[in-house]
Amino acid sequence: MRLLPQEKFTLRTPEPLSKIIERLEAKIEAPKTFRWRVSRNHPPYAGTISEDGFKIYRIIHYRNSFLPIIRGEFQSFLNETQVHITMSLHPFILAFLIFWFSTFFSVLIPIVLHEILSENGLVFPETLFLGLPIFVLFTFWCAFWYEANYSRNELTQIITEKPSKINSSRNKNSTILWSVIIATIFIVNLLFFTGRGEFLSFPLQTQQSLVSKFCSENQTQSPYCDFSEAYTLEGYPSESAIAISSDGKILVSGGEDKAIKIWDLQTGKLKKIRPSDSGVINTLALSFDGKTVVSGSGDRMIRIWDMTSDQPPKMLKGHSANIGEVQITSDGKTIISQDYKEIKVWDLETGTLQKTLPNSLSRQFKIGLLVIEDNASYFNPIKLSSSGITLVKKGNNILVWDVIKNQHIPLERKWFDNEHIYSAQISFDGKKIVMTSYQQPKNYLKIWDSQTGKLQIKQQFRTAYIRDGLASHIQSGLYDLTLTRDRIIGSTKDNKLKIWNLETAELEATLNTEKMRDLVVSADGKVLAGIIGNSYNHDTQIKVLKR
């Protein structure tokens, strides 16, 4: 069997060659550069014919890339004339196929080899795309066979003058062709949407209960399956930052109205509002005893709020850009803050700036009007923690940086290179780094040892298939991530909450809920909160779950 579509056959007739040429000439016209499509007054074929043979193509009035080029050779004998006919795809289509296959395999083969040599092996997406070239060839074969079969019947009738049921054959072939194509498309879609197993999950409609089918069928049910919605804190639709106390009794929120709100999570009631002079609140941190709140604002100021009094906050100045995150260390003595290019360490009691990381300015080189920054000096904070352990990107490396001791080690680069990092968190004791990342077509949950920089666990997790109206698309990754002392909690983009064991990365629970961001959780994991709604439209609420 030939790889590319081609049809060969021989017609025999007792008529002399001159008679055969005469019949064909009546059905063939000279090729035209431009043809008036409305006119139907023309022979069925166009091309050239001689005593040696012919090269023709069928004249049609619709688009068809699979229309065969027909070549014929004449061979005369005493009692008969033989016409050897070959039908093949147009050279342009052949060139397109060669280009498509060479491009496809030049991209796919390195990916497949990488997966085979890695610890993951092949998974369904790779095996599905390995079958794509076969599907493409099959489609070309069907379409070409349909057109070639019609031309074969028509030429047989012209050359041999034997009756041929062209129309009925064409209808029959058309029915078979479309049946095969529809069946193939159905099978491919069936395999794609049901065969991916753990790689796809289909969103369910929001239910009153948070418990999903995963929890109800799990034999060793996780205590985190007992989460239920406690409160939805409303009335402040522009909230963009929240923090929760370690005992889960107090929640603090802030946003574009520049005010701090203190909520009682035992009743769901607003206890107090502390207005600020200026600065949209970007981030909040609450001390372990719940008596101090630190906020970072869009005016580049850090504010320290005493929750036991109504005194104005103490303001710390020093950042040169909007503050993205603040943390209070677990001993309650130090504030750690970051903007997009530096980390600062402050004494909480006195407000004194203790250190700034990095402690050297980035190097720049000027060539005329062009300014080139040394990539090795690029410093971008990723995540802070109350333990003093931070995660930063410096150059092409990700470093675990102890800002108190000013010591750092790199993570093993081979485990995150060429991956897009969704989110990262640092455990309460600072010993583990939890990171979610994406490398097409997979999503990963990784747990690192912060003291050695070595990867401990690499776990692949599901990708969500989202249907939005008439459009369907793949939605990858986690929306947000938070940690308790022994669990990882992630909010996914398909309206799920997933809970993994921090030691083993085993998935313990999957809960149905609204899409939540800026997740915060109490140390014991009994109270979880997050922001829901659209912050761009100032239509946000704070959802609180308890177990």
Side-chain angles (χ1 to χ4, degrees), residues 3-4 17 24 69-70 151 163 244 324 348 360 386 544 547:
L3 181 63
L4 296 176
L17 177 60
L24 288 171
I69 299 296
I70 305 170
S151 296
I244 194 171
L348 190 148
S360 60
S386 60
V544 181
R547 65 179 181 90

Side-chain angles (χ1 to χ4, degrees), residues 83-238:
V83 183
H84 306 285
I85 298 175
T86 301
M87 299 184 187
S88 58
L89 284 172
H90 194 282
F92 176 81
I93 303 300
L94 291 175
F96 168 78
L97 277 175
I98 294 172
F99 171 79
W100 187 89
F101 275 96
S102 60
T103 303
F104 181 87
F105 283 112
S106 65
V107 173
L108 183 67
I109 289 176
I111 296 175
V112 174
L113 289 177
H114 176 268
E115 294 299 329
I116 293 176
L117 295 176
S118 69
E119 78 282 2
N120 297 309
L122 285 176
V123 295
F124 189 82
E126 285 81 2
T127 55
L128 175 67
F129 283 105
L130 280 173
L132 184 60
I134 300 174
F135 176 72
V136 170
L137 275 179
F138 175 75
T139 303
F140 271 70
W141 266 98
C142 289
F144 174 82
W145 168 74
Y146 170 66
E147 295 294 344
N149 193 53
Y150 180 82
S151 296
R152 176 173 183 164
N153 289 337
E154 193 170 49
L155 288 172
T156 299
Q157 186 179 24
I158 294 171
I159 293 172
T160 64
E161 287 193 328
K162 293 181 180 179
S164 176
K165 298 180 180 179
I166 296 177
N167 292 331
S168 62
S169 175
R170 185 178 178 87
N171 293 334
K172 181 180 178 181
N173 293 338
S174 176
T175 302
I176 295 174
L177 174 64
W178 283 109
S179 298
V180 170
I181 291 177
I182 291 173
T184 304
I185 293 174
F186 174 78
I187 292 171
V188 169
N189 279 277
L190 184 66
L191 288 173
F192 187 76
F193 294 127
T194 62
R196 292 187 65 154
E198 65 174 1
F199 302 100
L200 288 179
S201 61
F202 297 87
L204 302 176
Q205 295 181 349
T206 303
Q207 302 175 0
Q208 293 182 352
S209 173
L210 293 176
V211 180
S212 70
K213 191 175 181 180
F214 181 93
C215 281
S216 63
E217 291 183 350
N218 196 359
Q219 293 180 353
T220 57
Q221 186 162 314
S222 168
Y224 286 82
C225 287
D226 297 333
F227 263 124
S228 62
E229 184 175 341
Y231 311 109
T232 298
L233 309 181
E234 302 175 340
Y236 297 91
S238 62

Side-chain angles (χ1 to χ4, degrees), residues 6 32 36 74 114 128 132 134 138 184 205 239 289 308 340 359 403 452 464 490:
Q6 192 177 66
K32 294 181 179 180
W36 182 247
F74 299 127
H114 176 268
L128 175 67
L132 184 60
I134 300 174
F138 175 75
T184 304
Q205 295 181 349
E239 299 298 80
D289 59 11
T308 62
Y340 73 93
N359 52 19
V403 297
T452 64

